[in-house]
Amino acid sequence: MMEGLAFQADKALLDTVFDGVAVIDLKTLRVSLANQAAANILGFASADDMVGAEPLKYIPPEERERVTALLADVMSGVCFREGTEVKIHDKRGKYMWIMARGVKLPANGNSLLLASFRDITAQKIADMAIQEAERRQLELLNISNELILISQDWKIVFANSRFQQAIGLSGEALAGLCILDIVHPDDRRAVA
């Protein structure tokens, strides 16, 4: 009876947390307890529906090796408190990204993983859109017939391919140089 009350108290406490929280038995790799936030993120009707679920089933093949290595680290006592991004799919098959943290807990001779996670899909999509926009901007700068040089605080941060060809130095060689380093000595005073 007392264990049942403790379980209900633990469950009530978990349901007050905004992040998804799941307790995973490290022997069976099945969920033994979860909160409603976890169920909502992963597409389950309720937290109780998550009990018995196999979290690795929701990891796409390209992520499985990395996640398995993370679980091996947890089993050996390493926790990932700083969080790690993981691509998953929910119960409906919709792909998403989560930021996950976890710590190993001893419990009655078993080892449990206390995992917390949040949906970061919107942020990942926004980051990918920014990266794509930056890639397209660089592509446009590089196909331009104009010589383009971008500097910040007198340091070269970008030179397009046309500029690199004209000066005879690669972008890597130019990066970080002071603009005045590539200006003829007779013209440095006027440029400065």
Side-chain angles (χ1 to χ4, degrees):
M1 177 76 173
M2 200 62 169
E3 282 183 15
L5 290 175
F7 177 79
Q8 288 174 343
D10 290 344
K11 182 104 175 71
L13 179 64
L14 285 181
D15 281 334
T16 65
V17 178
F18 290 115
D19 285 351
V21 177
V23 177
I24 300 165
D25 184 320
L26 289 173
K27 199 177 286 182
T28 64
L29 292 178
R30 291 181 180 270
V31 174
S32 56
L33 181 65
N35 68 354
Q36 188 58 44
N40 293 343
I41 291 168
L42 296 175
F44 285 83
S46 72
D48 291 336
D49 288 343
M50 279 189 67
V51 173
E54 300 173 64
L56 286 178
K57 179 180 173 184
Y58 300 97
I59 307 296
E62 66 271 14
E63 284 279 285
R64 203 159 285 151
E65 186 176 320
R66 187 173 70 87
V67 170
T68 301
L70 283 170
L71 283 172
D73 286 346
V74 168
M75 288 179 188
S76 66
V78 176
C79 63
F80 51 105
R81 285 192 179 109
E82 68 281 351
T84 187
E85 292 180 3
V86 180
K87 184 178 180 182
I88 65 168
H89 60 83
D90 67 11
K91 189 173 181 195
R92 300 169 297 251
K94 175 184 157 198
Y95 282 92
M96 61 177 31
W97 285 266
I98 60 170
M99 176 64 72
R101 294 173 176 78
V103 63
K104 180 181 174 182
L105 301 172
N108 300 332
N110 290 333
S111 292
L112 304 173
L113 167 62
L114 175 62
S116 67
F117 51 93
R118 66 178 50 163
D119 183 351
I120 60 166
T121 305
Q123 182 62 47
K124 283 296 279 189
I125 290 170
D127 290 346
M128 290 187 308
I130 289 169
Q131 289 172 355
E132 177 60 17
E134 288 173 351
R135 185 196 64 73
R136 279 186 280 167
Q137 281 181 328
L138 286 174
E139 187 177 300
L140 288 172
L141 291 171
N142 275 319
I143 63 172
S144 173
N145 286 327
E146 302 296 322
L147 281 75
I148 301 172
L149 177 74
I150 300 172
S151 70
Q152 183 176 1
D153 299 324
W154 291 92
K155 299 288 183 197
I156 298 171
V157 293
F158 175 80
N160 73 345
S161 54
R162 183 87 163 94
F163 190 95
Q164 292 172 39
Q165 290 167 354
I167 201 161
L169 292 173
S170 70
E172 294 81 23
L174 288 166
L177 286 179
C178 177
I179 290 178
L180 296 178
D181 292 341
I182 61 169
V183 174
H184 190 277
D186 294 345
D187 296 329
R188 286 183 182 161
R189 185 176 207 167
V191 169

